[in-house]
Amino acid sequence: MKTRTLYPVLLASALLFSGCTTVGFHAPTFGSEKKEPSADQIDAYPNRPIEIIVPTGAGGDTDLGARLLGRYLGEEMDTSFVVTNIAGAGGSMGSREVLEADPDGYKVLFFHNNLLINKLYGLSTFNHNDFKIAGIALMDHGDTFIVHGDAPYQTANELAQAAIEQPGELSFATEVGGYTHLQMMAFEEATGADLKPIDVGGASDKLVALLGNQVDIVPIAYGVTADYIENGDFASVGVLSSEQHALYDNTPTFLEQGIDVEFEKFFFFAFPKDTPDAIVARFSEALKEVVENNEAYQEQAESYYTIPTYMAPEEATRYMDDVSHSYERLIERLETQTN
């Protein structure tokens, strides 16, 4: 039986990594003139703390992944990493903070699929191609829909049937226009379900809403809610990956249940577009070493229900291009059916 990491303890322990990561909240500063690094500064990189901008609130899977990687990257690069949370606009606020930062390697974005979706939905004017990608570091194949443990629907098919029989009555916690909203719409398209989206907020807000019976369904990473599932408070109706994983207790996929919906979450690092290649390469090399060869990191990442997966900058960019195109086709199809 695998060792589980309790979610509240997980956040607390991440905050206690002495000298490696801290949490900060501040208003983003846009519009200042960018300062290019000198040749000497490039050669000396890094010689001061590096700030990871997480464009979500504290406590979710993105934040926790950034903190864990910050600890081990700090050891690998012999510097400290500071995590700053700048939530808002589906991640666009924090992402823009990095987009408009000095291209000196000391401010880096850690985010996921939502960066692509924000532009496709018109919530932002930029996507991954407006940054310099340093690499993909993590995959989460455990995207899931969770419901109350005593709900009358405990599988994806039962949930779909309930949403067909009660159109617009079952509420779905999401960030309207974001990654989970797209999952909901794909589920509706594939099954004929009719759900009511409720804009709740981040992962912790969604869990509170479900615990308080304010919503019926929460799309979330399996690892964030695994302990609630184990104790019976919540139930997973299925995972959205292409196949079952032991890491997620071999929970049946939507595909196995005959529902053609598949989403897998990736987490990446990105710098401002004009960041020198030498700086990005140095960061990426350290990331590769941590993800592929640091057994302590790998063990902890898996205890957080994420799968260490390194993709170099060019490969990661191509992968993100492909994912963006698949989302674009899905959104076009959904819009065609709505009109």
Side-chain angles (χ1 to χ4, degrees):
M1 181 176 180
K2 63 175 174 288
T3 301
R4 295 181 180 275
T5 302
L6 292 176
Y7 181 69
V9 175
L10 187 156
L11 175 57
S13 63
L15 293 173
L16 290 174
F17 286 144
S18 175
C20 297
T21 59
T22 61
V23 61
F25 298 89
H26 65 79
T29 54
F30 304 147
S32 58
E33 185 176 348
K34 294 185 180 183
K35 298 177 182 178
E36 303 285 341
S38 67
D40 288 343
Q41 289 172 325
I42 294 172
D43 288 341
Y45 178 81
N47 62 1
R48 58 186 172 88
I50 296 172
E51 183 179 20
I52 302 175
I53 299 296
V54 174
T56 68
D61 53 350
T62 311
D63 178 64
L64 294 167
R67 292 178 188 284
L68 184 60
L69 279 161
R71 172 185 176 179
Y72 287 96
L73 281 169
E75 295 174 0
E76 183 67 28
M77 300 181 75
D78 194 24
T79 190
S80 59
F81 278 74
V82 177
V83 174
T84 301
N85 299 82
I86 305 178
S92 294
M93 289 279 289
S95 300
R96 184 173 289 279
E97 172 82 359
V98 176
L99 186 74
E100 300 189 355
D102 291 339
D104 57 8
Y106 291 99
K107 187 169 287 188
V108 62
L109 176 68
F110 185 75
F111 201 22
H112 56 66
N113 313 47
N114 230 48
L115 183 72
L116 316 181
I117 296 169
N118 284 342
K119 183 173 183 180
L120 293 173
Y121 272 124
L123 300 178
S124 71
T125 58
F126 53 85
N127 66 7
H128 62 292
N129 289 314
D130 296 292
F131 294 83
K132 188 166 284 186
I133 304 300
I136 285 174
L138 276 174
M139 298 290 291
D140 189 335
H141 302 287
D143 277 348
T144 184
F145 292 178
I146 60 171
V147 298
H148 292 285
D150 58 359
Y153 32 81
Q154 297 288 302
T155 69
N157 282 310
E158 289 173 352
L159 175 61
Q161 188 60 38
I164 291 169
E165 294 173 355
Q166 307 169 61
E169 291 188 20
L170 297 182
S171 56
F172 186 97
T174 187
E175 302 89 355
V176 173
Y179 178 60
T180 57
H181 193 199
L182 186 57
Q183 290 177 345
M184 185 197 83
M185 292 192 297
F187 178 71
E188 289 180 321
E189 180 207 26
T191 63
D194 184 359
L195 300 168
K196 178 172 66 175
I198 303 291
D199 204 326
V200 171
S204 58
D205 298 315
K206 291 175 183 174
L207 291 176
V208 170
L210 188 59
L211 284 168
N213 294 301
Q214 298 169 334
V215 296
D216 300 302
I217 308 146
V218 168
I220 202 164
Y222 188 96
V224 173
T225 190
D227 296 299
Y228 293 103
I229 293 172
E230 186 171 31
N231 67 26
D233 288 334
F234 301 153
S236 166
V237 302
V239 291
L240 301 174
S241 62
S242 58
E243 58 185 19
Q244 291 185 22
H245 287 269
L247 194 59
Y248 312 115
D249 295 324
N250 290 315
T251 302
T253 69
F254 279 47
L255 293 173
E256 288 173 323
Q257 297 180 63
I259 298 173
D260 189 13
V261 178
E262 179 184 344
F263 285 83
E264 294 184 319
K265 202 171 191 178
F266 60 86
F267 297 88
F268 64 90
F269 283 103
F271 288 100
K273 189 73 170 177
D274 295 331
T275 304
D277 290 341
I279 286 177
V280 177
R282 203 158 302 156
F283 186 97
S284 185
E285 287 164 6
L287 181 63
K288 175 181 173 69
E289 181 63 25
V290 168
V291 172
E292 293 190 345
N293 299 317
N294 191 310
E295 293 182 1
Y297 165 73
Q298 292 168 351
E299 183 177 345
Q300 283 197 269
E302 290 190 4
S303 78
Y304 291 6
Y305 295 84
T306 51
I307 300 173
T309 306
Y310 173 77
M311 291 188 199
E314 289 187 5
E315 180 187 5
T317 300
R318 288 194 301 270
Y319 174 82
M320 294 167 77
D321 285 340
D322 290 342
V323 172
S324 182
H325 292 151
S326 71
Y327 288 167
E328 186 174 15
R329 290 191 295 270
L330 174 59
I331 290 169
E332 288 175 352
R333 194 166 72 242
L334 293 170
E335 288 177 346
T336 298
Q337 290 186 354
T338 302
N339 295 332

